């Protein structure tokens, strides 16, 4: 089906039939939204069921519309513009059945049965209800293209769970009909797709049918398997032996508090909108922005890859204990075989991996039950190894701590805490969950609760039935002679294990909580099941990490945060499996498995996970602090201050576990953060950083408005009438040179475009161009009939609070003699308007000119954002420029280059408050201008030259402004050369009124129609001022012909007394044939002070 034409039919063509645009949809439609396809899907509501059935049965496009449709084409509004789905009621007049409750279980995308865009992506259900499925043309029984609220309007581009519809724009509902037909096709508001959205659109267009998991199989099972690691079976009993029952419970509870707070924060972020794949990276990047997300995403993916090696080596070590020949090489061999098998399971698909996880969970739960059952079955054969069954005496003896060697509470806590770091295992496969918003909170928090209870149960159980030290020797029974000296809990069971305790306090016992890591195997009902549980715990954790790392890394690469990694973004199969990521993870894991010594890397991995947890907690605090209207998670059981406490706790735990690993983690995170910040990826995810920046900007702007300006804090805040910012590069670069990081710069543009949508698009496009070119400025276009009217609007309304312009900057009108003199009138009145609004005024003149917008073909177009760089390389230019244009282009880049050693000549002839002096001072403080020295020129009298020089030197010293020389012009009032006076008179001749040669009425009428004309009276009245401008030009050529820049006091003309042509002639005469010249006139309010 072709897209509707965006233009009206050409003359001579036959007009389309009235309902030609209402063809029945055959079901063929693009997989994703495309700019060329129709903007709307329109449903023709057929009220006659018989005709509907006939239409459905035949599928004939030419079938007539049923009676009662009332020309459902919608008249002129819809003709030729809509693709129509023949949407009928197959059951006649019977009302639809209620939508089942489970139809909304996902809370975001699953629609009623009659949805045109079901979450399965495909089939149209012909079912009518009065709200959800009444689209255009027959809304509430009224012919209109206005749309009722619909979830498909709010989807992101190419959302995975359904097609995106684009609601009718305001223009299409509000503008005249002849304008509506000319609207361009495309996305709403003219949005362009970002690379990430293009990838999402491509992904969404792939075949559906991907395997999705619920909250139990997708999150609960994975988190439980990851949290129940080998720590449960081979370290928990040792922790109880060291810390005692009470402190062991404290350790478990402390770890649980940290993970619970993180789980609550994860739940809050996960329920604040639809969650795509990427796990921790996606949650952090969409909350805090690409800088934090990109840094954490990379190290989190790497940590998961190395964690595969850690778990596999743990499995291999346990296996090698049974068949040890050469320990190191055996670990390498067993580890390599194991990781290859795990890779095969992962590559086979998420469905197989999920089945493997279920099997491993069954084994693990069986091992846990096996331990608890065995703990209630004391056997005499196990008593010599320290297991006597539950006894209050043993429990009381193990209640307190018994730290040995270098161990302490925090060292034992550091050993246990990595066991609690599996809480993101479910969130890491967020893209494979059927409903992440439901699954992540429910599965994660329930897993933390269940595993925490089991850890506490194991701690209390082992401490209540196993003594700390035992010899394993059945002959160490208590004799009657030493019965009185035996105080241990084992004594009442007839055992004395004091033989393995030396007098110096050292122990060499082989069994008991403190000495035997496999004591849970002894206690269990069947020891091999505990070994199977250890295998299950290690393999399940390794499998979860092997799946998590590629998924997170794939999401990171899709967003193109780090250039060069795009190849890993590609997915394969219906589940979009990151096969390349699997291979990379396998290689990293295999490399660390071959090392077989992971004691050094293990603390760093734990710290990587903790850094992710800390940032997830901080994300919730940050989003709550920003108070953005978009932060409204459906999970309500969180608190911003609790999340902040969780972030601080995570940081503390990082240093408790290993201080140098914590420092290294922070250095790596900050390094990646700085890199991503420097690269500035072109993404916009609506992060809380952006929201908080707005909040702070608003708060500070209001605070600034409540404080009066002070002279010491004066900054030139410039409204620069550049037109399109790339039209006058020299003007842009020079003003940016002295406003960058100092003051406000607004690029103003009085556009004649009556289309406000195009104006808005221009604003967005050129603002992006300014940022791309590292120009710290704002582009503000306004619709106006001429440049003066646009400038008036901007002088009155530009800025916000104290962040308002105080100086108008314009370019000199070089072509004023060639065009309509009314343009000169407009130009001069613009300067008068600036003074009326109490602005300072600055005019820049380059003898080559400023405007490069007329040059086309090489990339400098008025309506594009192409850079000038290709034009400056003559050998690469696609065509040869004429000499004038080439000089213009060279001059346009004059102020972008580093200025060599030279001078900035300041001709401070009239005191305007100091702006004429402040601008060159700010300019020479910049890196590109710091080799230039300031020379000051002032007017004076011949007999007071030394006095005037000393007075000016004193003033400049008080202002703390460095200068290289002060020149006093004693001959400023000397008559100019006769040939220059003659040239001036010849220049103004065409613009004189010559009222003495005509009737008074005729002269007045001519003056009224051409107000720019110069009267004989004003010419004679301002003869001295005219001569001064001619003389100043002679002096400028004499003293400043080699200056890098001339900054000069602008001559003033009294409004209503001096005609525009005469004032323009003064400016022309003053500034012609000179280096770059900046005419400056402040608003005569002091901008410099020597008071502290």
């Amino acid at each position: 089906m072709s897209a509707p034409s965006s233009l009206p039919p050409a003359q001579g063509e036959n007009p389309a039939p009235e309902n030609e645009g209402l063809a029945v949809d055959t079901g063929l439609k693009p997989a994703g939204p495309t700019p060329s396809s129709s903007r709307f899907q329109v449903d023709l509501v057929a009220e006659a069921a018989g005709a509907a059935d006939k239409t459905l049965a035949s599928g004939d496009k030419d079938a007539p519309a049923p009676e009662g449709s009332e020309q459902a084409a919608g008249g002129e509004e819809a003709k030729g513009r809509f693709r129509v789905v023949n949407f009928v009621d197959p059951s006649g007049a019977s009302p639809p059945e209620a939508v089942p409750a489970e139809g909304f279980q996902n809370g975001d995308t699953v629609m009623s049965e009659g949805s045109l865009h079901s979450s399965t992506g495909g089939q149209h259900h012909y079912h009518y209800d009065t709200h959800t499925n009444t689209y255009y043309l027959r809304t509430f029984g009224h012919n209109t293209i206005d749309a009722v609220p619909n979830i498909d309007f709010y989807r992101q581009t190419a959302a995975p769970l359904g097609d995106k519809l684009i609601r009718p724009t305001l223009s299409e509902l509000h503008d005249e009909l002849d304008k509506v037909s000319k609207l361009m096709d495309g996305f709403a508001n003219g949005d362009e797709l970002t690379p990430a959205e293009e990838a999402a659109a491509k992904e969404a267009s792939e075949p559906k049918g991907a395997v999705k998991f619920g909250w139990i199989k997708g999150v609960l099972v994975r988190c439980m398997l990851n949290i129940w690691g080998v720590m449960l079976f081979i370290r928990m009993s040792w922790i109880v032996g060291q810390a005692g029952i009470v402190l062991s419970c404290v350790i478990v509870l402390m770890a649980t508090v940290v993970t619970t707070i993180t789980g609550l924060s994860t739940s809050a972020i996960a329920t604040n909108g639809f969650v795509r794949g990427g796990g921790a990276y996606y949650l952090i990047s969409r909350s805090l922005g690409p800088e934090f997300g990109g840094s954490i995403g990379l190290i989190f993916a790497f940590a998961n890859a190395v964690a595969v090696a850690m778990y596999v080596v743990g499995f291999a070590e346990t296996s090698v204990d049974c068949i040890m020949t050469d320990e190191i090489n055996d670990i390498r061999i067993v580890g390599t075989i194991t990781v290859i098998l795990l890779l095969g399971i992962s590559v086979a698909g998420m469905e197989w991996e999920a089945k493997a996880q279920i099997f491993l969970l069954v084994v693990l739960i069986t091992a846990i039950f096996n331990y608890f059952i065995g703990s209630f079955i004391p056997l005499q054969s196990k008593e010599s190894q320290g297991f006597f069954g539950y006894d209050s005496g043993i429990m009381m003896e193990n209640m307190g701590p018994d730290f040995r060697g270098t161990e302490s509470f925090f060292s034992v806590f550091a050993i246990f805490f990595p066991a609690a770091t599996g809480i993101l295992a479910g969130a890491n496969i967020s893209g494979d969950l059927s409903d992440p918003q439901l699954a992540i909170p429910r599965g994660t928090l329930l897993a933390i609760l269940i595993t925490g209870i089991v850890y506490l149960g194991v701690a209390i159980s082992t401490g209540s039935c196993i003594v700390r030290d035992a010899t394993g020797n059945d002959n160490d029974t208590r004799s009657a002679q030493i019965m009185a000296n035996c105080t241990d809990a084992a004594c009442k069971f007839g055992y004395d294990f004091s033989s393995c305790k030396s007098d110096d306090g050292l122990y060499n016992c082989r069994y008991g909580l403190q000495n035997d890591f496999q004591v849970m195997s002894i206690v269990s009902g069947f020891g091999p099941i505990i070994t199977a549980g250890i295998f299950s715990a290690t393999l399940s954790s390794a499998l979860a990490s092997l799946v998590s790392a590629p998924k997170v890394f794939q999401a990171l690469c899709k967003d193109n945060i780090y250039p060069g990694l795009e190849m890993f973004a590609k997915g394969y199969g219906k589940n979009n499996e990151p096969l390349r990521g699997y291979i990379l993870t396998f290689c990293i894991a295999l490399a660390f498995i071959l090392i077989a010594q992971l004691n050094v890397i293990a603390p760093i991995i734990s710290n990587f996970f903790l850094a992710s947890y800390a940032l997830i907690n901080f994300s919730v605090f940050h989003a709550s602090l920003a108070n953005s209207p978009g932060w409204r998670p459906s999970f309500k059981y969180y608190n911003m201050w609790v999340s902040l406490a969780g972030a601080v706790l995570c940081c503390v735990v990082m240093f408790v576990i290993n201080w140098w690993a914590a420092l290294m983690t922070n250095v790596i995170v900050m390094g990646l953060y700085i890199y991503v910040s420097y690269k500035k990826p072109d993404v916009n995810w609506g992060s809380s950083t952006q929201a908080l920046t707005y909040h702070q900007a608003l708060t500070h702007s209001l605070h600034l408005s409540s404080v009066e300006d002070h002279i010491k804090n004066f900054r030139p805040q410039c409204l620069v009438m550049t037109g399109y910012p790339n039209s006058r590069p020299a003007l842009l670069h020079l003003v940016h040179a002295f406003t960058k990081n100092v003051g406000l710069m607004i690029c103003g543009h009085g556009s004649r475009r009556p289309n406000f949508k195009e104006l808005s698009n221009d604003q967005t496009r050129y603002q992006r161009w300014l940022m791309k070119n590292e120009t710290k400025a704002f582009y503000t276009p306004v619709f106006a009939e001429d440049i003066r009217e646009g400038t008036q609007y901007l002088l009155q309304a530009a800025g916000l609070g104290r962040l308002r312009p105080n100086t108008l900057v314009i370019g000199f009108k070089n072509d004023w003699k060639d065009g309509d003199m009314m343009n000169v009138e407009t130009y001069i009145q613009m300067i008068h308007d600036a003074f009326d609004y109490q602005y300072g005024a600055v005019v820049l003149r380059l003898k080559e000119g400023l405007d490069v917008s007329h040059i086309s073909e090489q990339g400098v177009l008025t309506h594009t954002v192409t850079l000038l760089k290709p034009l400056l390389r003559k050998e690469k230019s696609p065509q040869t420029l004429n000499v004038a244009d080439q000089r213009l282009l060279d001059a346009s880049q004059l102020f972008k280059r580093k200025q060599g050693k030279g001078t900035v000549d300041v001709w401070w002839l009239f005191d305007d408050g100091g702006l004429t002096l402040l601008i060159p001072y700010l300019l020479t403080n910049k890196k590109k201008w710091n080799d230039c020295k300031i020379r000051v020129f002032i007017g004076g009298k011949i007999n007071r030259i030394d006095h005037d020089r000393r007075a000016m030197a004193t003033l400049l010293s008080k202002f703390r402004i460095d200068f290289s020389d002060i020149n006093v012009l004693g001959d400023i009032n000397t008559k100019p050369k006769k040939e220059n006076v003659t040239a001036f008179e010849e220049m103004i001749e065409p613009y004189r009124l010559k009222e003495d040669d005509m009737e008074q009425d005729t002269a007045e009428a001519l003056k009224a129609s051409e107000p720019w004309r110069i009267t004989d009276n004003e010419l004679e009245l301002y003869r001295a001022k005219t001569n001064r401008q001619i003389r100043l030009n002679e002096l400028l050529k004499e003293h400043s012909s080699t200056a890098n820049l001339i900054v000069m006091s602008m001559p003033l003309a009294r409004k209503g007394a001096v005609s525009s042509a005469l004032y323009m002639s003064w400016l022309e005469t003053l500034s012609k044939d000179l280096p770059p010249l900046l005419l400056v006139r402040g608003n005569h309010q002091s901008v410099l002070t020597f008071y502290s």
Side-chain angles (χ1 to χ4, degrees):
M1 182 173 58
S2 63
S5 174
S6 60
L7 296 174
Q11 292 184 0
E13 293 182 358
N14 294 326
E18 188 167 352
N19 61 350
E20 181 180 339
L22 298 176
V24 177
D25 187 4
T26 61
L28 298 175
K29 64 188 183 75
T34 57
S36 61
S37 64
S38 292
R39 294 175 54 79
F40 304 111
Q41 307 235 1
V42 183
D43 301 331
L44 175 61
V45 180
E47 297 177 357
D53 292 338
K54 180 179 179 181
T55 305
L56 280 176
S58 66
D60 188 1
K61 286 187 178 182
D62 295 325
E67 284 186 51
S69 64
E70 298 177 2
Q71 291 185 346
E76 293 297 324
E77 285 194 336
K79 186 184 297 183
R81 294 178 58 241
F82 304 106
R83 183 177 76 184
V84 181
V85 178
N86 194 13
F87 190 85
V88 296
D89 182 7
S91 60
S94 60
E97 295 181 3
V99 179
E102 54 266 29
F104 292 97
Q105 63 180 349
N106 287 342
D108 178 38
T109 53
V110 179
M111 296 179 60
S112 64
E113 188 178 79
S115 172
L116 283 175
H117 307 286
S118 67
S119 61
T120 57
Q123 301 177 355
H124 297 167
H125 303 282
Y126 296 93
H127 191 74
Y128 174 78
D129 67 63
T130 59
H131 186 72
T132 308
N133 296 314
T134 302
Y135 281 68
Y136 313 126
L137 298 185
R138 295 288 297 171
T139 302
F140 309 132
H142 175 63
N143 287 348
T144 177
I145 64 171
D146 214 349
V148 296
N150 189 303
I151 192 172
D152 291 318
F153 294 138
Y154 295 91
R155 298 188 192 280
Q156 290 183 358
T157 304
L161 297 182
D163 294 333
K164 175 180 173 65
L165 287 182
I166 300 176
R167 71 177 60 82
T169 66
L170 188 60
S171 298
E172 288 161 336
L173 294 173
H174 175 259
D175 288 357
E176 295 95 340
L177 286 173
D178 58 339
K179 290 185 179 180
V180 174
S181 62
K182 297 179 181 179
L183 288 172
M184 296 175 63
D185 290 336
F187 292 96
N189 301 323
D191 292 341
E192 299 175 358
L193 288 181
T194 64
E197 287 176 329
E198 288 177 355
K202 184 178 179 181
E203 177 182 343
S205 66
E206 293 176 355
K208 302 296 180 183
V211 178
K212 299 291 184 182
F213 303 115
W215 69 272
I216 295 178
K217 188 185 290 188
V219 181
L220 180 66
V221 169
R222 295 173 187 279
C223 289
M224 288 171 61
L225 284 171
N226 246 24
I227 297 173
W228 281 335
V230 291
M231 196 68 65
L232 178 65
F233 296 107
I234 64 176
R235 285 294 184 273
M236 197 66 222
S237 57
W238 176 84
I239 290 171
V240 174
Q242 289 282 347
I245 296 174
V246 174
L247 291 184
S248 294
C249 291
V250 170
I251 287 173
V252 173
L253 289 174
M254 285 177 59
T256 305
V257 165
V258 173
T259 54
T260 301
I261 293 174
T262 307
L264 293 173
S265 298
T266 304
S267 302
I269 299 176
T271 59
N272 190 50
F274 178 73
V275 178
R276 295 184 187 271
Y281 160 72
Y282 186 88
L283 297 178
I284 294 172
S285 63
R286 267 51 177 185
S287 295
L288 290 178
E291 295 83 6
F292 276 117
S295 55
I296 282 296
L298 196 61
I299 68 169
F300 190 76
F302 177 77
N304 273 286
V306 179
V308 175
M310 289 176 57
Y311 296 128
V312 169
V313 167
F315 167 78
E317 285 179 349
T318 309
S319 304
V320 166
D321 287 341
C322 306
I323 52 168
M324 185 184 299
T325 53
D326 180 358
E327 182 177 1
I328 295 295
N329 287 327
D330 285 350
I331 290 174
R332 289 170 176 163
I333 294 170
V334 173
T336 302
I337 295 172
T338 304
V339 78
I340 290 174
L341 292 175
L342 293 177
L343 178 66
I345 295 173
S346 301
V347 170
M350 290 295 295
E351 198 169 5
W352 283 96
E353 187 266 349
K355 291 177 181 177
Q357 293 282 29
I358 293 291
F359 171 75
L360 294 173
L361 179 65
V362 171
V363 174
L364 190 55
I365 292 176
T366 303
I368 294 172
F369 275 107
N370 177 49
Y371 161 74
F372 280 108
I373 292 171
S375 67
F376 287 98
I377 310 175
L379 297 176
Q380 189 173 359
S381 61
K382 299 179 181 180
E383 290 181 349
S384 63
Q385 296 175 348
F387 171 55
F388 296 98
Y390 291 102
D391 180 76
S392 59
I394 296 177
M395 184 177 183
M396 295 307 297
E397 183 178 79
N398 291 336
M399 196 64 72
D402 183 22
F403 297 113
R404 297 179 184 177
T406 59
E407 301 298 341
S408 64
F409 174 81
F410 288 108
S411 66
V412 174
F413 175 76
I415 290 171
F416 170 77
F417 189 83
T421 57
I423 62 171
L424 293 182
N428 285 340
I429 62 161
S430 54
D432 296 297
L433 301 175
S434 58
D435 185 2
Q437 291 182 309
L438 172 70
I440 292 176
R442 185 179 294 181
T444 303
L445 294 175
L446 189 58
I448 292 172
L449 176 64
I450 294 173
T451 55
I453 291 173
V454 170
Y455 272 120
L456 288 173
V458 170
I460 296 172
S461 173
T462 54
S464 301
C465 64
I466 308 171
V467 296
R468 280 191 166 103
D469 299 289
T471 61
N473 188 352
D474 292 333
N475 296 325
D476 287 338
T477 55
R478 177 173 57 84
S479 62
Q481 292 82 3
I482 59 173
M483 177 180 60
N485 296 328
C486 186
T487 58
D488 293 341
C491 294
K492 71 176 182 179
F493 294 100
Y495 284 88
D496 179 15
F497 298 129
S498 59
S499 60
C500 64
K501 303 175 184 177
S502 59
D503 295 335
D504 56 2
L506 298 177
Y507 297 82
N508 55 7
C509 306
R510 293 178 55 199
Y511 296 95
L513 295 174
Q514 290 272 24
N515 311 293
D516 186 9
F517 291 152
Q518 303 288 342
V519 70
M520 289 183 68
S521 297
I522 298 172
V523 175
S524 65
F526 184 63
I529 295 182
I530 296 296
T531 303
I534 295 172
F535 289 170
S536 172
T538 53
L539 291 178
S540 63
S541 297
L543 192 56
S545 297
L546 185 57
V547 170
S548 297
K551 295 281 186 182
V552 173
F553 193 58
Q554 182 186 35
L556 178 68
C557 296
K558 278 184 179 179
D559 289 336
N560 199 25
I561 302 297
Y562 298 100
L565 299 180
E566 296 88 349
M567 61 177 294
F568 294 103
K570 183 175 176 57
Y572 297 87
K574 61 184 181 182
N575 264 54
N576 198 35
E577 296 289 350
L579 296 185
R580 295 174 180 176
Y582 282 131
I583 300 300
L584 178 63
T585 304
F586 168 77
C587 295
I588 294 173
L590 187 61
F592 282 96
I593 288 169
L594 295 178
I595 295 173
Q597 296 288 337
L598 296 176
N599 291 338
V600 176
I601 200 70
I604 299 178
I605 302 306
S606 296
N607 274 280
F608 281 0
F609 287 127
L610 277 168
S612 304
Y613 299 169
L615 280 180
I616 287 176
N617 285 311
F618 183 72
S619 297
V620 173
F621 168 77
H622 200 267
S624 302
L625 185 66
N627 198 26
S628 170
W631 173 250
R632 46 182 189 276
S634 57
F635 182 85
K636 303 298 182 183
Y637 304 102
Y638 72 95
N639 180 273
M640 61 182 291
W641 300 109
V642 172
S643 296
L644 179 61
V648 173
L649 276 175
C650 289
C651 294
V652 170
V653 171
M654 287 172 66
F655 283 91
V656 166
I657 290 177
N658 192 301
W659 66 268
W660 61 263
L663 285 177
M664 182 177 295
T665 302
N666 287 322
V667 168
I668 293 173
V669 171
M670 290 309 298
L672 293 173
Y673 178 91
I674 293 170
Y675 171 79
V676 177
S677 299
Y678 175 75
K679 296 297 289 185
K680 293 185 178 64
D682 186 18
V683 294
N684 182 11
W685 295 323
S687 66
S688 61
T689 304
Q690 180 181 346
L692 187 61
T693 301
Y694 172 84
H695 184 269
Q696 290 174 335
L698 184 60
T699 302
H700 293 158
S701 296
L702 290 170
H703 179 69
L704 273 176
S705 298
S706 64
V707 180
E708 291 294 328
D709 287 332
H710 194 279
I711 299 174
K712 288 193 296 185
N713 294 325
F714 176 86
R715 300 163 184 267
Q717 304 195 131
C718 298
L719 171 60
V720 191
M721 299 305 294
T722 57
Y724 292 107
N726 58 348
S727 297
R728 293 166 177 81
L731 187 62
L732 186 77
H733 296 155
L734 181 63
V735 179
H736 184 249
F738 65 81
T739 58
K740 181 182 180 182
N741 299 327
V742 174
L744 175 70
M745 178 178 173
I746 296 178
C747 296
H749 182 196
S751 174
R752 291 185 176 87
R753 288 192 179 192
N755 189 319
F756 291 100
K757 184 177 179 181
E758 291 182 9
L759 208 64
S760 176
N761 290 340
D762 282 347
Q763 199 280 331
T764 302
R765 186 183 307 122
Y766 286 103
Q767 187 62 51
R768 189 179 299 143
W769 182 86
L770 288 169
M771 299 305 294
K772 185 177 180 181
N773 286 276
E774 299 180 346
T775 302
K776 296 184 177 181
F778 300 95
Y779 173 64
T780 307
V782 292
F783 169 66
E785 292 298 332
D786 57 43
I787 188 173
R788 183 190 179 189
E789 187 178 84
T791 304
Q792 286 176 332
Y793 294 158
L794 291 167
L795 288 172
Q796 295 176 77
L800 179 71
R802 297 291 181 198
L803 298 176
R804 296 175 60 84
N806 53 32
T807 305
L808 175 68
V809 183
I810 57 177
F812 185 80
K813 190 173 179 61
N814 275 24
D815 61 348
W816 69 275
K817 290 180 285 188
D818 300 331
D820 185 357
M821 285 301 293
M822 286 306 296
N823 293 333
V824 176
E825 177 73 17
T826 300
Y827 179 82
I828 296 301
Q829 291 302 321
M830 210 166 64
I831 299 175
H832 289 311
D833 290 338
F835 295 139
D836 287 342
Y837 289 115
Q838 294 297 298
Y839 276 60
V842 177
V843 178
L844 172 65
R845 179 170 191 181
L846 267 62
K847 57 187 175 184
E848 296 86 359
L850 295 171
D851 188 1
V852 299
S853 60
H854 64 282
I855 303 174
S856 59
E857 304 295 333
Q858 286 94 347
V860 188
L861 295 172
T862 301
H863 300 292
T864 66
V865 292
T866 316
L867 302 180
L868 286 167
K869 293 178 182 177
L871 295 175
L872 303 177
R873 301 176 184 142
K874 297 179 183 178
E875 69 278 7
K876 295 183 180 180
S877 296
Q879 73 178 46
T880 304
L881 295 173
N882 60 47
V883 176
D885 283 346
Q886 188 59 54
R887 287 178 179 172
L888 176 60
L889 283 174
D890 292 340
S892 70
Q893 298 297 295
L894 177 64
F895 301 123
K896 197 173 184 180
R897 297 191 290 265
K898 168 76 174 175
Q899 303 295 313
K901 290 187 177 181
T903 63
V904 174
D905 289 356
V906 181
W907 289 63
W908 196 15
L909 304 179
F910 307 101
D911 194 335
D912 58 352
L915 186 63
T916 308
L917 191 60
L918 180 62
I919 288 176
Y921 166 76
L922 295 174
L923 203 58
T924 53
N925 275 345
K926 301 299 181 180
K927 187 176 181 180
K928 290 179 180 177
W929 289 84
N930 59 8
D931 289 337
C932 294
K933 303 297 182 182
I934 292 178
R935 292 195 304 174
V936 179
F937 294 82
I938 59 173
K941 296 182 179 179
I942 294 291
N943 57 352
R944 292 178 52 120
I945 287 180
D946 291 338
H947 177 271
D948 292 342
R949 182 184 290 113
R950 285 194 299 270
M952 179 54 64
T954 302
L955 181 60
L956 294 177
S957 299
K958 287 182 179 292
F959 286 150
R960 303 170 303 282
I961 292 178
D962 293 330
F963 59 92
S964 63
D965 192 17
I966 296 176
N967 291 279
V968 180
L969 304 171
D971 53 350
I972 197 170
N973 289 320
T974 305
K975 286 187 178 182
K977 296 178 181 178
K978 188 174 181 180
E979 59 269 24
N980 292 333
V981 175
T982 303
F984 178 83
E985 290 176 350
E986 291 175 353
M987 179 178 65
I988 66 171
E989 182 65 25
Y991 314 119
R992 294 181 60 179
L993 181 60
K994 298 182 180 178
E995 68 272 22
D996 293 340
D997 299 339
M998 62 182 72
E999 296 284 340
Q1000 182 176 354
D1001 293 341
T1002 306
E1004 290 176 355
L1006 183 59
K1007 180 66 175 177
S1009 62
E1010 298 179 353
W1012 43 267
R1013 288 200 173 271
I1014 306 170
T1015 66
D1016 295 339
N1017 183 47
E1018 69 171 309
L1019 189 59
E1020 191 60 36
L1021 183 63
Y1022 293 105
R1023 177 70 64 185
K1025 196 165 187 177
T1026 299
N1027 289 338
R1028 186 185 303 133
Q1029 311 314 316
I1030 301 171
R1031 176 59 182 158
L1032 283 173
N1033 180 257
E1034 295 173 356
L1035 292 172
L1036 284 164
K1037 290 178 179 177
E1038 178 183 346
H1039 295 283
S1040 298
S1041 58
T1042 59
N1044 295 57
L1045 177 69
I1046 302 171
V1047 182
M1048 187 173 194
S1049 296
M1050 181 193 298
L1052 277 183
R1054 190 171 299 278
K1055 188 169 62 171
V1058 179
S1059 61
S1060 300
L1062 181 59
Y1063 190 26
M1064 195 72 212
S1065 300
W1066 287 350
L1067 299 181
E1068 168 71 27
T1069 301
L1070 179 65
S1071 58
K1072 68 178 180 181
D1073 301 329
L1074 289 171
L1077 177 71
L1078 207 59
L1079 295 172
V1080 179
R1081 174 67 71 156
N1083 65 356
H1084 287 245
Q1085 300 292 321
S1086 296
V1087 301
L1088 297 172
T1089 181
F1090 45 78
Y1091 294 106
S1092 60

